[in-house]
Amino acid sequence: MSEHDDDLSPAQRYASYRKHKGHPVFRDFAAGFPFELDEFQVEGCKAVEDGDGVLVAAPTGAGKTVVGEFAVHLALETGRKCFYTTPIKALSNQKYADLAARYGKDKVGLLTGDTTINGEAPVVVMTTEVLRNMLYARSRTLVGLGFVVMDEVHYLADRSRGAVWEEVIIHLPESVSVISLSATVSNAEEFGEWLETVRGATRTIVAERRPVPLFQHVMVGRRLLDLFASSDVDAAAGFVREGAPVNDELMKLARDDWASSRLKGHRQPRGSRQGGPGSRNVGNGRRIWIPGRLDVVERLQRDNLLPAIDFIFSRAGCDAAVQQCLDANLRLTSAEERDEVIAYVESTLGGLPSADLHVLGYHDFLDAASRGVAAHHAGMLPAFKECVEELYLRGLIKIVFATETLALGINMPARTVVLEKLSKWNGETHADITPGEYTQLTGRAGRRGLDIEGHAVVLWQPGMNPRELAGLASTRTYPLRSSFRPSYNMAVNLVHSYGRHQARELLEQSFAQFQADRAVVGLARQLRKAEDALAGYADAAQCHLGDFMEYAGLRRRISELEKESSKVRRKDRRDEALASLERLQPGDVIVVPVGKFAGPAVVVDPGLSEHGHRPLVITAERQGRRLAMMDFPTPVEPVARIKLPKRVDARNPHQRKDIAQQVREAVRALPLSVTRPRGERGPVDEDVARQIQALRAQVREHPCHGCADREDHARWAERYAKLQKDTELLAQRIERRTNTVARTFDRVCEVLEALDYLHDDEVTERGRGLMRIYSELDLVAAESLRTGLWDDLTPSQLGAVLSALVYEARRPEEGPPNMPGGAIAVTIEAMVRLWGELERLERDHRLDFLRKPDAGFAWTAWRWAEGQELDEIITRNDQTAGDFVRQMKQLIDFAGQIADAAAGTPVRDTARQLVKQLRRGIVATG
């Protein structure tokens, strides 16, 4: 019985005892918390102790990780293993630190792409990819595994990495209980149903209400206005329902802003000013002052709304915001807090090479952190980000300017979250954030156990629509969509482990196929209705004299042949008409075949253009017009010529009158058959004409031709034919959606068979190397190895060429890469040619997996492997330390895969040496 039960009456204590009697491990676990667990947490933990799988979908900050942590506790209590998987290394590191502090470092391990700590411990925190690789390699570490916690499982919707989550869920042994933790999604029940299909008994638990109420605001000038109307009871309590009414004052501001934009440039006396910087005139003469970042921070501090996270969807913007605070001499910490920050930063980052501190911006970072200000984004050195996270959790950093990557699971709750804009760069364009993204970002506001309420603040922007913002804040419809598709590496691993037939069946268990099949259910219902209707139409069209469907088919075939023939004739005549227009010259008198301006006319300008021919003519009726192709369904030939003035102005009525008179005189002596406009019909194809004649004879001879109700039957037969066509299209749609993943797998296997990586049900010797390469360009890497492209390279040169298969420019317009010459350039060019050959092979099999290699990091990788200093490399490439370290660690991980795949080739030793040369300085310590 927990400590808080002491305050209960005897009857209440007995009820509590009965409630927890069947779950002794959970009772002990819950007793370690200083507060009562929420109902959804209790339900989830009990389900885990019962041996069921669990899906917990709850808002950010609701405490769903408690269920995952109970799985860890249960594993240790029952002598089994638990793997705790996360989508990103930063979250893995943070979870490892939490669990190691609770259970001891001897019982907890960490496995990420570049870190191994106590990998055989009973509890191991790891990235999801590490577990996927273990499953394919049939690692001995899996022995004794009882539980797998999949934190942030909604990541399976991620286009580039989502398939890994489904691979793990499908391939884990049946004896393993899967505890899936997800953000709130609108189709949690569907996802839970799929989990039950592939994993067995699974409890789906959905918690939609936040533990800490969240109040939504808009900062307009110096004022902090509520987003929702105070009349709404739920919104006033911090729990917004969909369709909640918007604050009238914000709507009035939006109308004023719209009026201001309409009036901009009007009623503005010359030389007058439109207001000071950072302000905006509105329709009623007031000005909306848009606050700067310092103003926002100071307002939050004054209202006791710190600590806060200010989301700026730009790395440069985050760094600029910190610099603005430094320039303004802003200080949010006390003297004691400042000293504590300095001591922590110096002890934590003291291991970094002293020569690199300047280029890393260490001193500015320390100065800002000591003031309670920091940035957090992917361009920062990982050690700096971890330092920010720890100082923030200790309450020493008061304001963090962050990109959206901070919202992805890292435990950094705030009292207030600020959004400067509602649009961000998505890799291709600037797009509005989605309701799901808005909820993920603002969900960090309100720290459980520390705050009684959280606050989300959106800064007013010109043109803002409060109703759209309210829609973002209240929408709860963001479904989880699978991004799963088989890869080449996945295919060889599956065939090796299960054989091709069983691998195909396994892939049909994917969430992607499950969702596709669910969508087919509605289509199948439509198909059944259509088939029932077809049977009714067929009955109505029956004729006592014979097979009316056969008779209707003959009539339909005649109609189709006539339409096809007419279409062909029109196309032929159009082509001829186009050619005839190209031959026209100024002064040619023609007869326009059809249209409003049909009849004799003289060509003033042939109007030839690649966008279509539009001759300028003056008609015999004095009209001057540019005609279009629709006026020439048939070819035209000059019937006469007249001499035009050197300069013709078709808009001049006197000139048109004189020229029209000349046209009339030129055609006066010609026969009417030449000058009368007509849309000619081209000759009918003789073969088609014979077919139509034969079919008409069959129609006349058919028994149903003499039926008195023939036309009534014909109407039903036409309805039958139209519905049958629609039904066939519906059946095709169902066929396309059914077994879609398995069909893609078949095409992948066909490509691999063509390259001799697979042979029937076996992975060939050539294919075994591909089993070790987990990369977007896995096949390009395997083929480069097979063809010996890398055999003669030095470690530094190999690093440069391998980087082309790992690196991908953040934006396509980053310009041509700075690439070394010699063997590196020659090899990368050969890899690009190889990619081109593989891309053609993919196209032949209707696949599109492989992107072009990108040499944008080749020079950097080469120089670092050669031992060049960090300062020189980063300065020359204008690259952030965080990007540099992340790319290097990805390259080290990939080089390790190549070493494993290159058994028996000279590349193995080269790749291993490359790893040693790359792992130095901040790449090793940062």
Side-chain angles (χ1 to χ4, degrees):
M1 205 172 296
S2 62
E3 291 177 10
H4 53 253
D5 283 352
D6 294 341
D7 299 330
L8 303 178
S9 68
Q12 288 171 324
R13 280 202 298 272
Y14 178 71
S16 176
Y17 166 75
R18 292 278 298 172
K19 182 179 177 183
H20 297 300
K21 182 181 177 183
H23 301 89
V25 180
F26 169 67
R27 189 169 64 248
D28 293 342
F29 175 74
F33 287 87
F35 52 84
E36 185 88 34
L37 294 182
D38 289 342
E39 188 177 334
F40 82 91
Q41 294 168 325
V42 172
E43 186 182 351
C45 292
K46 287 183 176 180
V48 174
E49 190 167 356
D50 289 340
D52 293 342
V54 178
L55 167 64
V56 180
T60 301
K64 52 185 172 282
T65 54
V66 166
V67 182
E69 288 163 4
F70 175 69
V72 171
H73 182 84
L74 184 60
L76 292 172
E77 288 292 313
T78 55
R80 287 177 284 176
K81 285 184 178 180
C82 178
F83 290 170
Y84 197 110
T85 71
T86 72
I88 52 178
K89 291 176 184 176
L91 189 50
S92 290
N93 295 337
Q94 196 173 66
K95 203 72 212 174
Y96 166 73
D98 292 346
L99 294 176
R102 179 179 299 179
Y103 298 109
K105 290 189 176 181
D106 58 318
K107 292 181 179 177
V108 182
L110 175 67
L111 291 175
T112 61
D114 53 7
T115 305
T116 300
I117 301 172
N118 199 14
E120 294 299 324
V123 176
V124 185
V125 182
M126 62 185 68
T127 48
T128 316
E129 280 85 354
V130 170
L131 178 53
R132 186 270 313 270
N133 298 354
M134 275 188 188
L135 289 168
Y136 282 147
R138 299 185 176 181
S139 169
R140 289 178 55 81
T141 308
L142 295 167
V143 175
L145 181 63
F147 305 92
V148 168
V149 180
M150 304 198 77
D151 203 353
E152 309 285 336
V153 73
H154 51 272
Y155 243 84
L156 66 76
D158 184 79
R159 283 188 300 175
S160 59
R161 297 172 58 209
V164 177
W165 275 256
E166 292 190 48
E167 287 179 85
V168 167
I169 290 168
I170 292 169
H171 300 318
L172 276 170
E174 286 183 26
S175 59
V176 177
S177 295
V178 176
I179 295 87
S180 305
L181 309 178
S182 170
T184 308
V185 291
S186 57
N187 61 334
E189 289 79 8
E190 179 190 39
F191 185 45
E193 199 176 321
W194 171 70
L195 285 170
E196 184 147 20
T197 302
V198 295
R199 299 298 316 165
T202 300
R203 199 93 52 90
T204 299
I205 300 165
V206 179
E208 295 187 348
R209 200 169 178 89
R210 288 171 47 90
V212 178
L214 176 64
F215 292 89
Q216 312 268 353
H217 312 281
V218 179
M219 192 165 182
V220 185
R222 291 185 172 86
R223 293 185 299 162
L224 209 55
L225 301 178
D226 291 338
L227 172 59
F228 294 100
S230 57
S231 59
D232 186 89
V233 176
D234 287 338
F239 300 101
V240 179
R241 57 178 171 76
E242 206 156 343
V246 180
N247 185 345
D248 286 339
E249 191 171 357
L250 279 176
M251 293 306 301
K252 185 175 187 304
L253 281 167
R255 287 192 295 271
D256 287 345
D257 190 34
W258 179 82
S260 170
S261 65
R262 295 273 295 175
L263 293 171
K264 191 174 182 180
H266 297 283
R267 304 179 186 172
Q268 190 65 35
R270 186 175 296 176
S272 66
R273 296 183 61 187
Q274 295 189 1
S279 66
R280 179 180 177 85
N281 286 327
V282 293
N284 62 1
R286 290 185 303 164
R287 290 182 296 181
I288 297 180
W289 176 72
I290 300 172
R293 288 164 182 154
L294 283 168
D295 302 304
V296 173
V297 175
E298 288 170 353
R299 175 62 193 263
L300 296 179
Q301 184 183 27
R302 188 167 68 249
D303 289 359
N304 196 27
L305 293 178
L306 295 177
I309 299 171
D310 188 339
F311 283 110
I312 303 171
F313 302 121
S314 154
R315 298 176 180 187
C318 293
D319 293 336
V322 172
Q323 191 59 50
Q324 287 167 12
C325 293
L326 288 175
D327 293 343
N329 199 26
L330 178 71
R331 182 173 297 282
L332 303 173
T333 53
S334 65
E336 294 77 13
E337 288 174 328
R338 181 193 62 202
D339 293 342
E340 190 178 344
V341 169
I342 292 172
Y344 179 80
V345 172
E346 288 179 344
S347 65
T348 305
L349 302 180
L352 293 175
S354 56
D356 295 336
L357 292 180
H358 176 70
V359 70
L360 294 174
Y362 169 81
H363 300 291
D364 284 343
F365 173 80
L366 178 59
D367 185 16
S370 71
R371 296 169 179 271
V373 179
H376 190 290
H377 57 74
M380 292 171 64
L381 195 66
F384 280 36
K385 286 196 293 182
E386 289 167 17
C387 199
V388 171
E389 291 159 16
E390 180 58 30
L391 289 171
Y392 184 85
L393 289 175
R394 292 186 182 190
L396 300 172
I397 296 288
K398 313 296 183 180
I399 178 78
V400 176
F401 297 99
T403 57
E404 69 274 22
T405 54
L406 185 143
L408 302 177
I410 297 171
N411 182 27
M412 285 182 65
R415 181 169 295 169
T416 305
V417 163
V418 179
L419 272 67
E420 292 199 356
K421 290 184 178 179
L422 297 175
S423 65
K424 67 184 182 71
W425 177 259
N426 63 8
E428 297 173 1
T429 183
H430 283 280
D432 292 338
I433 63 174
T434 64
E437 289 168 333
Y438 183 89
T439 302
Q440 186 85 357
L441 295 166
T442 58
R444 300 231 152 256
R447 299 165 299 171
R448 187 170 189 172
L450 294 174
D451 300 321
I452 58 171
E453 59 190 38
H455 299 268
V457 178
V458 177
L459 302 191
W460 178 272
Q461 296 293 329
M464 178 180 283
N465 184 339
R467 289 195 198 281
E468 290 178 1
L469 174 57
L472 281 178
S474 62
T475 299
R476 294 290 177 266
T477 53
Y478 27 92
L480 190 61
R481 294 283 175 235
S482 172
S483 60
F484 183 86
R485 67 176 186 178
S487 66
Y488 298 110
N489 166 274
M490 187 193 301
V492 290
N493 275 297
L494 285 173
V495 172
H496 176 72
S497 298
Y498 304 102
R500 193 157 165 178
H501 177 71
Q502 192 181 347
R504 197 177 193 276
E505 289 182 344
L506 279 169
L507 290 178
E508 287 182 328
Q509 296 179 27
S510 68
F511 188 44
Q513 190 59 59
F514 183 82
Q515 289 190 310
D517 290 345
R518 289 285 288 267
V520 162
V521 170
L523 294 176
R525 194 178 297 117
Q526 291 179 40
L527 185 62
R528 282 196 300 274
K529 284 184 180 177
E531 287 169 344
D532 291 343
L534 280 173
Y537 290 171
D539 287 343
Q542 281 187 355
C543 177
H544 66 287
L545 297 176
D547 185 348
F548 199 88
M549 286 302 182
E550 180 184 66
Y551 174 75
L554 292 171
R555 285 174 48 154
R556 198 160 49 251
R557 182 61 185 143
I558 291 171
S559 176
E560 287 169 357
L561 280 172
E562 287 176 339
K563 285 179 183 175
E564 288 171 13
S565 176
S566 174
K567 197 173 179 180
V568 169
R569 287 201 309 274
R570 282 199 304 272
K571 184 181 183 309
D572 290 344
R573 300 299 274 170
R574 178 180 170 80
D575 291 343
E576 291 171 15
L578 197 62
S580 71
L581 291 180
E582 290 173 354
R583 294 193 293 269
L584 294 180
Q585 299 292 327
D588 284 344
V589 177
I590 60 173
V591 178
V592 180
V594 296
K596 186 177 177 182
F597 306 105
V602 63
V603 177
V604 174
D605 171 21
L608 303 182
S609 163
E610 59 183 19
H611 303 297
H613 302 337
R614 300 199 59 196
L616 175 63
V617 301
I618 293 176
T619 70
E621 303 301 321
R622 306 182 190 178
Q623 295 161 312
R625 288 289 187 277
R626 275 205 184 274
L627 304 182
M629 279 303 301
M630 68 176 66
D631 296 306
F632 298 98
T634 58
V636 290
E637 298 295 337
V639 295
R641 273 192 66 80
I642 63 174
K643 188 173 182 180
L644 294 172
K646 285 186 179 180
R647 301 183 71 173
V648 178
D649 182 0
R651 291 172 296 183
N652 186 320
H654 298 294
Q655 214 171 25
R656 286 204 309 271
K657 179 182 177 183
D658 294 341
I659 293 173
Q661 179 62 35
Q662 285 182 266
V663 171
R664 288 195 293 273
E665 289 174 0
V667 300
R668 185 173 294 153
L670 297 175
L672 192 61
S673 60
V674 173
T675 59
R676 185 173 57 200
R678 64 188 186 280
E680 297 180 26
R681 297 188 63 184
V684 178
D685 183 273
E686 291 182 8
D687 184 46
V688 174
R690 279 195 296 272
Q691 288 183 57
I692 292 173
Q693 192 174 2
L695 286 168
R696 282 180 174 151
Q698 290 180 51
V699 165
R700 287 192 295 272
E701 292 166 6
H702 198 281
C704 293
H705 191 62
C707 178
D709 297 323
R710 183 183 70 193
E711 293 310 310
D712 188 41
H713 293 327
R715 280 192 291 275
W716 285 109
E718 279 304 309
R719 290 175 188 171
Y720 180 94
K722 185 178 183 306
L723 184 59
Q724 187 179 42
K725 188 176 179 181
D726 293 342
T727 303
E728 287 169 357
L729 291 172
L730 199 56
Q732 288 172 15
R733 285 177 65 192
I734 291 173
E735 172 61 27
R736 282 197 298 271
R737 291 195 181 195
T738 306
N739 303 321
T740 49
V741 175
R743 283 204 304 274
T744 303
F745 174 71
D746 289 340
R747 292 198 288 270
V748 167
C749 289
E750 287 166 11
V751 168
L752 293 172
E753 282 185 326
L755 295 169
D756 197 28
Y757 283 76
L758 289 179
H759 182 67
D760 293 332
D761 229 22
E762 297 290 327
V763 177
T764 64
E765 192 60 39
R766 184 181 292 183
R768 288 182 184 276
L770 179 57
M771 289 170 60
R772 299 284 191 168
I773 303 173
Y774 303 94
S775 160
E776 190 180 2
L777 294 177
D778 48 8
L779 198 54
V780 178
E783 280 292 277
S784 298
L785 262 179
R786 181 186 69 81
T787 55
L789 280 181
W790 303 335
D791 286 0
D792 299 323
L793 298 176
T794 67
S796 302
Q797 291 170 337
L798 181 63
V801 301
L802 290 184
S803 75
L805 302 182
V806 177
Y807 177 78
E808 186 173 10
R810 290 178 67 217
R811 300 194 182 191
E813 67 272 15
E814 286 189 6
N818 178 18
M819 192 169 69
I824 295 173
V826 170
T827 306
I828 290 178
E829 286 169 9
M831 287 160 58
V832 171
R833 285 195 299 274
L834 178 59
W835 162 78
E837 293 166 10
L838 292 173
E839 189 192 35
R840 284 190 288 275
L841 181 61
E842 278 195 322
R843 277 204 305 269
D844 291 343
H845 291 84
R846 289 174 294 153
L847 294 172
D848 180 23
F849 286 1
L850 302 173
R851 63 168 176 83
K852 186 178 179 180
D854 189 333
F857 197 68
W859 183 90
T860 303
W862 173 56
R863 295 312 303 158
W864 183 254
E866 285 284 291
Q868 190 166 352
E869 292 299 321
L870 177 69
D871 192 1
E872 298 172 38
I873 291 176
I874 287 185
T875 303
R876 175 162 176 176
N877 266 22
D878 191 25
Q879 193 171 39
T880 67
D883 285 335
F884 170 78
V885 171
R886 187 176 66 259
Q887 291 294 340
M888 278 300 170
K889 288 188 174 179
Q890 287 177 2
L891 180 55
I892 288 169
D893 183 50
F894 186 54
Q897 294 174 24
I898 296 301
D900 292 340
T905 74
V907 176
R908 166 169 277 196
D909 291 338
T910 310
R912 286 177 172 171
Q913 181 58 35
L914 168 64
V915 171
K916 292 177 183 176
Q917 291 179 208
L918 293 177
R919 193 173 278 145
R920 66 181 179 87
I922 64 164
V923 175
T925 60

